[in-house]
Amino acid sequence: MLKRIMIILGLIIVYRFMSHIPVPLGDASTFKEAVENLLEKSDFGSFLNLVSGGGLTSFSILLVGISPYITSSIVVQLFSKSIPSLEELSQDGETGRRKINQATRILSVPLAIMQSIAYMYILYQTASANIATDLNITTADWILSVTCMTAGSIILMWLGELMTEQGIGNGISTLILISIISQFPTNFGNLATQLFDTSYGSLDVFGWFTLPVNPYVFWILLGFAIALIIVIYFLIKLNESQRIITINYAKRVHGNTSYGGIKSILPIKLIAAGVIPVIFATSFLSLPALVGQVASAVAPDNTWSENLTNIFTAPSASNFSTLYPDGITPRWFIYPALYFILVVLFTYFYTAIIFDTNEIAENLQKQGGFIEGVRPGDSTAKYLTGVVNHLNLFGSFSLGLIAMLPFITDYIFIVVSGAPLGLSLSGTGLLIVVTVALENLRQLDSRALMVTYDDYQE
């Protein structure tokens, strides 16, 4: 067990080291300025920087991150449900699963190449629009940069699979978790700087003594910490909530031996899709803003590109004064409303993919299992579909509200103080951290129980 944990920690160190290796393309500082401009104007850039562990900010070889592998996994999973040959292969046990995993890896390579070229073009256009001199990037520079970023993405995929082989959580999810956690020290450092800035006064504690902290920032952080604890509590409850369906198995007699006659359970999670719908919705809404920004860089006089960027840019404290100088307007609500709707729709869509009620009903019928009061076959499939839809109704709206937390907190502070707080709760980040951490702890406990099972038996 200790060996497995040390291997995962070693792989995490390798991953964090790679995230600081810059792309070999001339003056990296020039492109870092372009990256900063991209992060300010594009929500997609901020999201990409989040899942790449800051690889976009540092302009590292991990700039593309594991998004090609995630995209490839989703595409293969969709095709395995729509193409009969792939569906049959996915049901062919361990052999079929290995072939599908290999196809996922192969598809990740061209996707990584295309995304590397796209990101380099976007950064090149952004950098060219912000500096007066020509960058003079040669074909050899393009080939070298794209090759390095593609290799970084493939190595990251390999590291994730090595983590998965250790049996303590999913490696890809763990990498995303580490990516989010890696940005905590910088955020905490910024908060500490603001907290101990006493230029506007110190905190007086009931007249007994004075603490060298900013009173305004102190009370904001205290309220934020309390709200964070409450949100994490409800996130855990939502993530662990499930509907238990009792499965009965008919008793069969073969010779002198009887089989069946037992009961089992079929747990159905409240949010079976996990954090995937939030990631889908964020990526889907961020692309129009990115397209608008590139169009503005190529042709600055385009009014439609500026409007496209403004509408599909998530309202936040960093862009509120620029996009909404006169306060909240009806346009402010467009992005949050679309975000909420897409999260709900993607929850239904992805749950239908990963939880095939017809397949489950068919397997139960083959094994002699049935739900009490429900006929086997199509009736069981319809019953399970109804249960899943009822769970999705509450689960999708709960997931949507979690994703809306940044906009809700910003709206409250805009109404109260006239400006966003700038310390919004990140629903997506919290959901990823809580979900992955709980799953890893669950598998770690399972591994520990296997190792110490003999001790419990004694």
Side-chain angles (χ1 to χ4, degrees), residues 318-347:
S318 61
N319 59 31
F320 180 75
S321 59
T322 304
L323 298 180
Y324 306 96
D326 299 326
I328 292 181
T329 62
R331 192 182 68 184
W332 190 92
F333 297 95
I334 295 178
Y335 187 96
L338 291 175
Y339 193 24
F340 181 83
I341 293 172
L342 285 177
V343 168
V344 173
L345 293 179
F346 278 129
T347 302

Side-chain angles (χ1 to χ4, degrees), residues 164-200:
T164 304
E165 290 176 0
Q166 302 306 313
I168 306 178
N170 182 275
I172 302 299
S173 300
T174 302
L175 288 177
I176 298 177
L177 172 65
I178 298 301
S179 300
I180 298 173
I181 294 178
S182 66
Q183 301 183 50
F184 285 178
T186 302
N187 296 332
F188 288 152
N190 295 333
L191 292 177
T193 301
Q194 299 178 24
L195 179 63
F196 292 102
D197 181 11
T198 57
S199 57
Y200 295 98

Side-chain angles (χ1 to χ4, degrees), residues 21-161:
I21 301 177
V23 176
L25 184 66
D27 184 12
S29 60
T30 300
F31 282 90
K32 286 184 179 180
E33 294 177 2
V35 167
E36 292 175 359
N37 186 62
L38 179 66
L39 291 176
E40 290 177 359
K41 296 183 179 181
S42 174
D43 192 47
F44 180 74
S46 301
F47 177 75
L48 178 63
N49 187 59
L50 175 69
V51 299
S52 64
L56 183 58
T57 302
S58 58
F59 193 58
S60 76
I61 60 175
L62 299 184
L63 188 149
V64 177
I66 55 177
S67 56
Y69 182 76
I70 295 175
T71 304
S72 176
S73 301
I74 295 171
V75 170
V76 171
Q77 197 169 28
L78 289 174
F79 283 166
S80 64
K81 296 297 181 180
S82 57
I83 300 177
S85 58
L86 286 178
E87 184 176 5
E88 183 179 351
L89 188 63
S90 63
Q91 299 174 356
D92 194 18
E94 184 65 24
T95 303
R97 187 158 50 248
R98 287 180 180 177
K99 292 181 179 179
I100 289 181
N101 289 339
Q102 185 64 19
T104 303
R105 299 187 195 102
I106 294 174
L107 182 59
S108 300
V109 177
L111 288 176
I113 295 174
M114 289 188 293
Q115 290 190 25
S116 300
I117 295 174
Y119 295 152
M120 282 304 305
Y121 176 76
I122 292 170
L123 292 176
Y124 173 74
Q125 294 293 339
T126 306
S128 300
N130 289 291
I131 62 176
T133 60
D134 190 7
L135 294 176
N136 293 323
I137 301 178
T138 63
T139 304
D141 291 333
W142 275 88
I143 294 175
L144 179 61
S145 302
V146 170
T147 302
C148 289
M149 287 191 290
T150 303
S153 178
I154 295 173
I155 292 174
L156 203 57
M157 175 183 66
W158 177 57
L159 292 178
E161 292 189 348

Side-chain angles (χ1 to χ4, degrees), residues 47 50-52 66 70 170 172-181 184 231-232 235-236 239 273-280 282 339 399 402-403 426-440:
F47 177 75
L50 175 69
V51 299
S52 64
I66 55 177
I70 295 175
N170 182 275
I172 302 299
S173 300
T174 302
L175 288 177
I176 298 177
L177 172 65
I178 298 301
S179 300
I180 298 173
I181 294 178
F184 285 178
V231 170
I232 291 177
L235 279 176
I236 294 175
N239 186 71
V275 74
I276 298 298
V278 180
I279 296 176
F280 279 9
T282 303
Y339 193 24
L399 197 61
I402 293 170
S426 176
T428 305
L430 279 178
L431 188 60
I432 293 175
V433 169
V434 171
T435 303
V436 177
L438 287 176
E439 182 61 28
N440 288 359

